[in-house]
Amino acid sequence: MKKNKLWLSLSLSALLLTAAGCGDKPDASSGSTGEGSNEQSYSIAISQYVEHPSLDATREGILAALKDNGITEDDNLKVDMNNAQADPTNNLSIGQKLKNTDADLVLAIATPSAIVVKENVTDKPVLFAAVTDPVDAKLVSDLKQPGGNVSGASDTNPEATKQLMTFIHDHFPEIKTVGLIINEGEANAVVMSKTAEEALSELGMTLIKAPVTNTSEVKQAAESLVGKADAFFITLDNNVVSGVDTIIQTAKENQIPFFSSDRDTVEKGAIATVGFKYFDHGYQVGLMAVEVLKNGKQPAEMEVTFPDKLDLILNVKAAADYGITITDDMKQEVKDPENNIIE
C-alpha cells in the first residue's frame, strides 16, 4: 500500500513538472501580444501637419498597405496619431513628444512635420510622405542612398507642374498671367512655384504671387488676384490647400479658371491637374513601412521614391462652373479617361 502511494505521488510530481516545462512562454524578442500568444505586434506613431483630403488619403493609404500585409490597427497594430492642425507650435510639440516614443516606426506626413520629426527622432526609423523636395528640406542628402534613419516618398514629380503649365498654354490661349496663392514659408511650395514660373516663362507667360502666412489669409489673397490674373494656380501648399474652398468660391464668382497640383482639389472643384491619387502615394509609403516592421529594413538603405503614374485629371462639371467647356482635344490628353475624367 505504501509503495502504491509513493508511486502515485512521484507520478503526480512528474506530470506537474512536465506541464510547467511545456507551457508556451512569450518570447520578448518576438513582440508577442500576450502570454501564450506568438502573434507579432507592432506600434507606429504618425505626425500629420494638417487635415485636408490629400494628406488624409495619404494616411489612409499607409494604413491600407499595412493591413493588406497583416498589420491591422486595433488588432496587432497600435497607432499613435498626432495632427498639428497647421499650427507650427503644435507641430514642434508633437516632434518633441515623439523624441521619446517607444513606437517601432515614426511616419511624418507633409514637409513641416517631416522636418520637425527628423530633428527630434534620431534613434527610430522614420518614413516621410507628402514631401515635395526631400533634399531641399534637408530630410535626406541623397535620394538613392539616404544613409540616416530617414527615408520615404516624395509626392511630386517636377514634370507634373511643367506638363500642367503646357496644358494651360496649349488649350487656354487667353491666359497670359497665372496667379499663385502661396505660403512661402513652406519649402515644398517654393520649389514648385519656381518650377511653374520657369515653365511659364519658357511659354511666354507670367506668374504673379499672392502670399499668405496661414489658412485664414487664403480668401483675401485670392481676391487680391482678381483683375490681375487670368487664372489661379496652387501648389502642394498645406496652408493654402486647407483653405481651397475659398479659392474655388472666388474663382467661380469671377469666372477665373482654377488649376491645382493635386487630384483631391480637382475633385472638389478645380478644373485640372497633372497628378495621381494620394491614396496610392500613401500605399507606396505603407509598403516601405512593411519592410521596416516585418523585415527589419533600415531607411538608410531605402531609396526615396517618386510618383511614376502621372496623368492629366479633368473635372468636366467644375469647368462648366467657370464658363469653360472641356473639349475633345483636352480629353484626348488623358491617358486613363475612365478614372481621370470627372464628369
Side-chain angles (χ1 to χ4, degrees):
M1 188 72 176
K2 289 182 179 179
K3 286 183 177 181
N4 288 340
K5 287 182 177 179
L6 178 61
W7 178 85
L8 182 59
S9 176
L10 290 172
S11 298
L12 288 170
S13 298
L15 285 170
L16 289 170
L17 286 170
T18 301
C22 291
D24 289 334
K25 296 180 180 179
D27 182 356
S29 64
S30 70
S32 174
T33 58
E35 188 173 354
S37 170
N38 289 320
E39 184 183 10
Q40 177 79 42
S41 64
Y42 308 90
S43 61
I44 62 173
I46 299 176
S47 175
Q48 181 173 320
Y49 188 63
V50 67
E51 287 181 344
H52 67 60
S54 296
L55 300 189
D56 293 344
T58 299
R59 184 185 70 250
E60 290 163 6
I62 291 170
L63 294 175
L66 291 171
K67 184 176 181 179
D68 288 348
N69 285 275
I71 304 175
T72 306
E73 189 175 5
D74 296 327
D75 182 6
N76 62 342
L77 174 65
K78 179 182 177 182
V79 179
D80 174 18
M81 179 62 206
N82 304 272
N83 194 307
Q85 300 297 346
D87 186 322
T89 301
N90 290 344
N91 191 39
L92 180 59
S93 296
I94 291 169
Q96 292 170 341
K97 168 196 167 184
L98 296 181
K99 184 175 185 176
N100 300 312
T101 183
D102 59 359
D104 302 314
L105 170 67
V106 178
L107 293 126
I109 302 176
T111 302
S113 291
I115 290 172
V116 171
V117 166
K118 187 198 174 184
E119 289 173 351
N120 285 276
V121 182
T122 58
D123 60 347
K124 300 279 185 180
V126 173
L127 294 176
F128 57 76
V131 170
T132 298
D133 191 333
V135 174
D136 184 75
K138 296 181 172 53
L139 297 172
V140 298
S141 57
D142 189 306
L143 297 173
K144 293 187 177 296
Q145 297 178 325
N149 68 313
V150 179
S151 187
S154 170
D155 65 348
T156 191
N157 183 323
E159 290 303 312
T161 301
K162 294 175 185 177
Q163 288 176 24
L164 180 60
M165 297 304 112
T166 299
F167 172 79
I168 295 171
H169 171 269
D170 292 348
H171 295 282
F172 299 86
E174 71 280 6
I175 295 176
K176 303 298 181 184
T177 302
V178 175
L180 172 67
I181 300 98
I182 180 173
N183 172 17
E184 294 185 301
E186 285 202 31
N188 54 317
V190 173
V191 170
M192 294 184 72
S193 168
K194 183 177 179 182
T195 300
E197 189 168 21
E198 291 174 352
L200 288 170
S201 178
E202 290 177 4
L203 295 165
M205 301 166 71
T206 303
L207 182 77
I208 59 173
K209 300 176 184 177
V212 301
T213 58
N214 56 60
T215 301
S216 66
E217 298 174 357
V218 169
K219 185 176 189 297
Q220 184 178 355
E223 290 173 344
S224 74
L225 291 171
V226 176
K228 300 176 184 177
D230 303 316
F232 289 169
F233 169 63
I234 62 171
T235 67
L236 300 174
D237 185 325
N238 294 295
N239 282 281
V240 174
V241 174
S242 294
V244 75
D245 288 340
T246 61
I247 300 175
I248 293 171
Q249 179 185 356
T250 303
K252 287 181 178 179
E253 287 175 354
N254 293 278
Q255 297 289 276
I256 299 172
F258 172 41
F259 302 90
S260 70
S261 295
D262 67 291
R263 180 192 182 93
D264 297 292
T265 299
V266 173
E267 290 179 351
K268 291 189 77 171
I271 295 173
T273 190
V274 173
F276 53 91
K277 290 184 177 180
Y278 267 83
F279 180 91
D280 294 340
H281 168 67
Y283 199 93
Q284 187 177 29
V285 179
L287 293 178
M288 297 176 75
V290 171
E291 288 295 312
V292 172
L293 295 171
K294 278 197 163 185
N295 301 322
K297 204 162 184 180
Q298 295 301 311
E301 55 184 321
M302 304 177 81
E303 183 175 338
V304 174
T305 60
F306 292 84
D308 56 2
K309 296 179 180 179
L310 296 177
D311 196 5
L312 176 67
I313 303 165
L314 294 174
N315 189 328
V316 177
K317 183 179 179 181
D321 293 335
Y322 299 94
I324 291 169
T325 300
I326 297 297
T327 65
D328 290 339
D329 285 344
M330 294 180 191
K331 292 180 179 179
Q332 286 175 3
E333 293 199 25
V334 181
K335 300 172 188 173
D336 182 5
E338 183 177 348
N339 291 308
N340 292 333
I341 294 180
I342 303 166
E343 300 286 356

